Amino acid sequence: MLFRFAERNNLTVAFPKPACGHQFCYPNVFSAEFVHPQTQPPNIIANHMRFNRHELQNLMPNNTKYITILREPASMFESLFAYYINHAEAFRRVPDGFMETFLEDPLQYYWPKEDNAMYVHNTLTFDLGGDKDRPAADVAYAQEFVAEVERVFSLVMISEYFDESLVLLRHLLSWDLQDILYVKLNMRKESSKKSLSPALSQKIRAWNTVDAHLYDYFNASLWVKLSELGLDSVAKEVKHLRQAQEKLIKRCFGGQMPLLRSASEIKSKKLRPWQPSENVGIVGYDLPSNISLETKELCLKYIMPEVSYTPMFLHSQLLQHHQNLTSPS
């Protein structure tokens, strides 16, 4: 969404340098050294990073708005376990491969300093620059960390209320409805998801206490902000967004709602979502052949995964940068 806004408005996006891949050398704490030198000075920075306020404030304009998004910790942990069971050592140590077994005694499997440990414990806190391994009993730390996030970020969106969060984003940035249109990406097949009992959710939240504190606070604050806008007004905006979204999707897919496809079924390589393991199916889209070239160019930007969009947009920015340097003044 941010990439599309930048392209439409000819804004400069700070991209990671090649050695960092499509993220800013994550899980290292963000440094301006990770930014491709030819994508500076930037108007927008959007690729995944471990947040570092000091470095970002030195890089970005003084009037920058900081925005992040949180997902409910139990739901997110279930997703992380499925995505990274072959990548995080703590998950790989679980003898039967079951999340329930891990949660019976997480410290039996979890080593805080090893690679990919950030996917195992308080991931939200880690990504926002906090201490993922602060003891659960340290409520004062969780409260201080929440206060710091609230000081820095103009908006903390909530994944479970994404459309409502987009209404707040639109008002914060004075955007149009067109600017917040989106098509859902990086979805798992239903067969890859695990339903969580209340008891299991509670175990996950007990293991990720700082994340739970963070999420509960900002979920509540989201609804305070929505109430200030007026819940009836928000509901109307959400309705308009969803109507416009359906219209866009039908335009892109020949008048019909799209079929979700597994990566192996998607013809275009740049539209294939990343597959974390053979046990987790991430679905995506293929565009039909009977749409116009103009429609295809528009719709590609809505259904292309970030891992494909990043190098494509970077290439166009570098080309523009080169033309600006070589064109006569």
Side-chain angles (χ1 to χ4, degrees):
M1 190 181 295
L2 293 169
F3 287 174
R4 288 192 297 272
F5 182 84
E7 282 197 288
R8 280 196 300 273
N9 294 280
N10 199 28
L11 300 176
T12 300
V13 174
F15 280 111
K17 65 183 183 181
C20 285
H22 73 284
Q23 301 179 339
F24 285 103
C25 285
Y26 184 82
N28 294 298
V29 175
F30 176 81
S31 165
E33 293 177 5
F34 300 158
V35 179
H36 197 299
Q38 290 174 14
T39 63
Q40 299 184 48
N43 305 109
I44 291 176
I45 188 165
N47 290 65
H48 192 62
M49 67 175 73
R50 186 170 187 217
F51 188 73
N52 181 337
R53 182 182 65 170
H54 178 73
E55 285 285 301
L56 284 162
Q57 286 177 339
N58 286 338
L59 174 73
M60 301 300 294
N62 290 335
N63 63 345
T64 296
K65 303 285 187 193
Y66 292 92
I67 298 153
T68 190
I69 186 165
L70 304 179
R71 181 176 174 182
E72 196 283 314
S75 167
M76 190 174 82
F77 187 83
E78 183 275 326
S79 178
L80 288 167
F81 194 92
Y83 264 68
Y84 295 110
I85 192 163
N86 293 335
H87 303 278
E89 291 296 330
F91 294 155
R92 290 173 65 180
R93 287 190 190 99
V94 181
D96 58 9
F98 289 150
M99 182 175 62
E100 292 88 340
T101 305
F102 174 85
L103 291 166
E104 285 301 321
D105 186 9
L107 293 175
Q108 182 180 338
Y109 310 105
Y110 175 68
W111 301 350
K113 302 296 184 187
E114 69 187 358
D115 290 348
N116 295 325
M118 67 282 179
Y119 297 129
V120 181
H121 196 205
N122 285 315
T123 305
L124 296 171
T125 302
F126 179 87
D127 284 0
L128 287 169
D131 182 355
K132 65 180 172 57
D133 297 307
R134 191 59 66 119
D138 193 348
V139 177
Y141 173 77
Q143 292 171 337
E144 288 164 13
F145 185 63
V146 162
E148 172 66 10
V149 171
E150 190 167 43
R151 272 193 298 273
V152 174
F153 285 87
S154 301
L155 176 62
V156 178
M157 299 169 65
I158 295 293
S159 178
E160 287 73 19
Y161 303 105
F162 189 60
D163 290 351
E164 291 83 357
S165 295
L166 287 179
V167 170
L168 291 176
L169 180 71
R170 191 185 78 73
H171 283 266
L172 175 69
L173 301 178
S174 301
W175 279 9
D176 297 326
L177 177 65
Q178 184 71 25
D179 297 323
I180 59 170
L181 282 181
Y182 71 96
V183 176
K184 289 183 180 179
L185 299 177
N186 290 333
M187 292 178 291
R188 278 184 293 163
K189 287 181 181 176
E190 287 302 317
S191 58
S192 299
K193 297 178 183 177
K194 180 181 181 63
S195 60
L196 300 175
S197 67
L200 196 56
S201 292
Q202 194 53 46
K203 279 187 177 180
I204 293 172
R205 290 172 69 93
W207 168 238
N208 297 281
T209 49
V210 190
D211 276 8
H213 195 90
L214 197 66
Y215 177 86
D216 290 345
Y217 181 87
F218 285 107
N219 184 31
S221 79
L222 179 90
W223 287 97
V224 170
K225 289 183 177 184
L226 291 169
S227 296
E228 288 168 356
L229 268 184
L231 294 181
D232 288 344
S233 174
V234 171
K236 284 179 186 172
E237 287 205 44
V238 167
K239 183 181 177 182
H240 291 151
L241 169 61
R242 290 174 180 169
Q243 288 171 339
Q245 185 182 41
E246 184 176 340
K247 188 177 176 183
L248 169 73
I249 289 171
K250 286 185 174 177
R251 180 184 174 189
C252 291
F253 294 96
Q256 300 175 347
M257 296 306 284
L259 287 173
L260 290 169
R261 302 181 185 276
S262 63
S264 61
E265 295 174 314
I266 296 173
K267 299 187 191 85
S268 174
K269 189 176 179 182
K270 63 186 174 188
L271 294 181
R272 290 176 195 155
W274 178 67
Q275 301 295 304
S277 78
E278 59 199 25
N279 302 321
V280 180
I282 311 301
V283 291
Y285 310 92
D286 243 342
L287 289 175
S289 56
N290 62 343
I291 57 174
S292 69
L293 185 61
E294 179 190 3
T295 300
K296 185 176 181 180
E297 286 179 359
L298 166 79
C299 296
L300 275 174
K301 302 293 174 66
Y302 283 92
I303 66 170
M304 189 181 295
E306 184 192 350
V307 289
S308 301
Y309 205 142
T310 293
M312 184 194 74
F313 194 4
L314 172 61
H315 177 73
S316 69
Q317 279 203 173
L318 295 182
L319 203 61
Q320 184 64 48
H321 178 79
H322 178 72
Q323 287 170 351
N324 292 342
L325 288 177
T326 55
S327 62
S329 55

